[in-house]
């Protein structure tokens, strides 16, 4: 109660009177539901406000599978962005570039497995297996790990 009343005045009796007047002023009238409309369920506000928050605080943040709300807010890189960044880092190794593109599409793009599979000419399980194989390689190969880090950084922090 005190928290809410603090918005209406410092002195409790004054705050209660101002709050009562506020409630009476909206009674019988139309009051928009703050949870309705084109806002994100985690961030309350207009589309412009949500876009501003995403740009300021979430643009450089990678989507995380374990945080569905953040996944929904994060800007996911599309296939074109993934291809452009991977090609800028791996200009000479087409086979590795293809594997990394497939892995990044699976991990970050939000595309469905069937869409990724069609793009790369493999089945849905092939997408998962290829992505898993690359993740294992990355775990064992320090040089490849550095390449992946470079790509991730450029994917979210630069305008390649």
């Amino acid at each position: 109660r005190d928290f809410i009343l603090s918005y209406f005045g410092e002195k409790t009796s004054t705050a209660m009177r101002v709050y009562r007047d506020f409630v009476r002023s909206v009674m019988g009238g139309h009051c928009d539901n703050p949870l309705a409309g084109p806002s994100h369920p985690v961030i309350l506000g207009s589309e412009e406000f949500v876009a501003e928050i995403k740009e300021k605080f979430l643009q450089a943040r990678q989507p995380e599978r374990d945080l569905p709300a953040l996944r929904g807010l994060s800007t996911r890189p599309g296939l074109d962005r993934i291809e452009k960044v991977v090609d800028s880092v791996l200009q000479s190794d087409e086979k590795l570039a293809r594997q990394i593109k497939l892995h990044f599409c699976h991990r970050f793009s939000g595309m469905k497995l069937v869409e990724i599979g069609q793009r790369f000419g493999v089945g849905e399980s092939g997408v998962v297996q290829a992505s898993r194989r690359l993740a294992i390689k990355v775990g064992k190969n320090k040089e490849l790990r550095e390449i992946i880090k470079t790509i991730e950084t450029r994917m979210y922090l630069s305008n390649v």
Side-chain angles (χ1 to χ4, degrees), residues 86-149:
V86 172
D87 287 342
S88 74
V89 174
L90 292 168
Q91 298 166 350
S92 59
D93 192 342
E94 286 184 35
K95 182 179 177 186
L96 180 59
R98 183 180 187 278
Q99 291 171 347
I100 292 175
K101 288 174 190 176
L102 191 149
H103 174 73
F104 270 71
C105 283
H106 177 241
R107 189 162 170 222
F108 297 119
S109 74
M111 295 170 63
K112 294 181 180 181
L113 291 176
V114 68
E115 296 170 322
I116 298 168
Q118 288 173 347
R119 169 61 181 87
F120 290 94
V122 296
E124 295 173 41
S125 63
V127 171
V128 175
Q129 292 300 320
S131 184
R132 186 179 59 77
R133 280 193 301 271
L134 183 70
I136 291 168
K137 273 182 167 175
V138 168
K140 295 178 180 178
N141 185 325
K142 184 178 179 180
E143 185 180 329
L144 185 54
R145 203 166 30 250
E146 291 302 317
I147 290 170
I148 295 294
K149 283 182 185 178

Side-chain angles (χ1 to χ4, degrees), residues 10-63:
E10 290 182 24
K11 189 175 174 187
T12 303
S13 60
T14 303
M16 289 175 72
R17 183 180 42 75
V18 173
Y19 176 73
R20 185 175 43 251
D21 293 343
F22 167 75
V23 170
R24 285 182 179 152
S25 73
V26 295
M27 285 177 59
H30 177 73
C31 187
D32 292 334
N33 179 350
L35 300 176
S39 63
H40 193 277
V42 177
I43 301 174
L44 296 179
S46 66
E47 285 186 52
E48 294 80 19
F49 177 74
V50 172
E52 181 181 340
I53 295 300
K54 286 169 72 172
E55 183 180 327
K56 276 185 177 179
F57 301 105
L58 300 173
Q59 186 172 16
R61 187 88 191 252
Q62 296 176 12

